[in-house]
Amino acid sequence: MIGDVLDRLREELPQGVDVVAVSKYFPADSIREAYAAGQRMFGESRVQELLVKRNELPDDIQWHFIGHLQTNKVRLIAPFVSLIHAVDSEHLLEEISRQGERCGRVIPCLLQLHVAQEETKFGFTPGECIAMLEKGEWRLMTGAQIAGVMCMASNTDDERQIEAEFGLVRKTFETIRLRFFADNDAFRHCSWGMSGDYPIAVRTGATLVRIGSMIFRA
Ligand SMILES: *Cc1c(COP(=O)(O)O)cnc(C)c1O
């Protein structure tokens, strides 16, 4: 059952690691079941699906947007989204800030780093990310708060490969924190690890693991 899996996960995860229950493609009833077991953070990757679910589910759910976000859809989720995980361009960050300002909010965002071998994955390379931060435009974006980094590992069974990718992102997180956020505790989230690789994520310093099928196929 969904509640049992969540209980086991919470027991297994160390202090400081939180579960984002990735509910994309799973029905509202499954989310209600997880909610009844105390889960409040849920992750969705499609704007329309998120809007429909938000309408029919409790108001105190913290909705995380974890998928690739198109700039023209930011305004639809800006009034309520708790955390946008996959900011993959300065242009998107700018639009999030603009929409945050419009709603009187500062929207927490994570910068997506591309470290996987697949060509198709979105995100900044570590070098691109640091170069973007160096430019400093983000300091003027008062409707968005850069709150950490996010990544997806290569789709492989090679655990050493996955561990190396997560490790590189953790190292980049530390570099960015020292260089740009030394005086800012808001920069604190490391989002990586899914059903198949979350134990590796925990070993490499994740603070948010995004777990879907393991919870909702229970
Ligand atoms: C679907 C998804 C997950 C969860 O994957 P599971 O294997 O179902 O745990 C995590 N992160 C992102 C970005 C996803 O799209």
Side-chain angles (χ1 to χ4, degrees):
M1 300 304 290
I2 287 172
D4 298 326
V5 178
L6 283 167
D7 285 346
R8 263 186 280 127
L9 256 176
R10 289 194 199 106
E11 253 170 61
E12 178 185 344
L13 295 175
Q15 190 103 49
V17 183
D18 288 316
V19 178
V20 180
V22 177
S23 46
K24 63 167 194 229
Y25 313 142
F26 294 101
D29 273 342
S30 299
I31 300 178
R32 281 192 198 93
E33 210 175 320
Y35 182 90
Q39 182 68 28
R40 290 294 178 273
M41 264 185 240
F42 292 89
E44 289 284 335
S45 62
R46 293 187 176 195
V47 170
Q48 282 313 321
E49 186 178 345
L50 168 55
L51 295 176
V52 169
K53 284 173 171 170
R54 177 174 185 256
N55 249 330
E56 50 191 39
L57 287 158
D59 276 342
D60 64 339
I61 286 181
Q62 297 160 34
W63 293 105
H64 289 206
F65 196 82
I66 63 166
H68 177 64
L69 179 57
Q70 290 171 277
T71 47
N72 63 354
K73 297 202 169 153
V74 173
R75 67 185 171 80
L76 299 170
I77 63 170
F80 67 88
V81 69
S82 286
L83 183 63
I84 297 177
H85 283 239
V87 175
D88 59 0
S89 73
E90 189 175 34
H91 179 60
L92 176 58
L93 187 64
E94 234 173 313
E95 175 61 10
I96 293 168
S97 175
R98 191 174 307 125
Q99 296 301 331
E101 285 166 10
R102 193 181 56 92
C103 308
R105 299 189 65 210
V106 181
I107 300 173
C109 295
L110 307 182
L111 301 175
Q112 180 172 14
L113 294 179
H114 175 110
V115 290
Q117 285 170 329
E118 286 100 52
E119 289 282 333
T120 54
K121 295 242 162 100
F122 295 102
F124 299 95
T125 64
E128 287 166 351
C129 188
I130 288 167
M132 189 273 285
L133 293 167
E134 280 286 340
K135 279 202 307 167
E137 306 278 340
W138 59 277
R139 295 184 194 275
L140 306 171
M141 300 180 193
T142 54
Q145 166 72 59
I146 299 175
V149 296
M150 170 279 191
C151 76
M152 293 175 75
S154 296
N155 187 10
T156 171
D157 291 332
D158 183 350
E159 294 209 353
R160 281 182 317 175
Q161 168 83 22
I162 295 170
E163 184 150 358
E165 290 173 358
F166 288 162
L168 173 59
V169 179
R170 179 71 205 194
K171 219 178 102 206
T172 307
F173 168 81
E174 302 291 355
T175 302
I176 292 173
R177 183 165 61 177
L178 280 174
R179 255 170 87 176
F180 303 101
F181 296 96
D183 56 356
N184 188 345
D185 290 342
F187 187 80
R188 63 196 160 89
H189 292 299
C190 289
S191 168
W192 54 82
M194 320 200 300
S195 296
D197 55 20
Y198 77 88
I200 309 175
V202 170
R203 288 208 292 279
T204 51
T207 63
L208 292 170
V209 289
R210 308 180 307 263
I211 300 187
S213 47
M214 179 182 155
I215 296 170
F216 291 107
R217 281 195 219 289

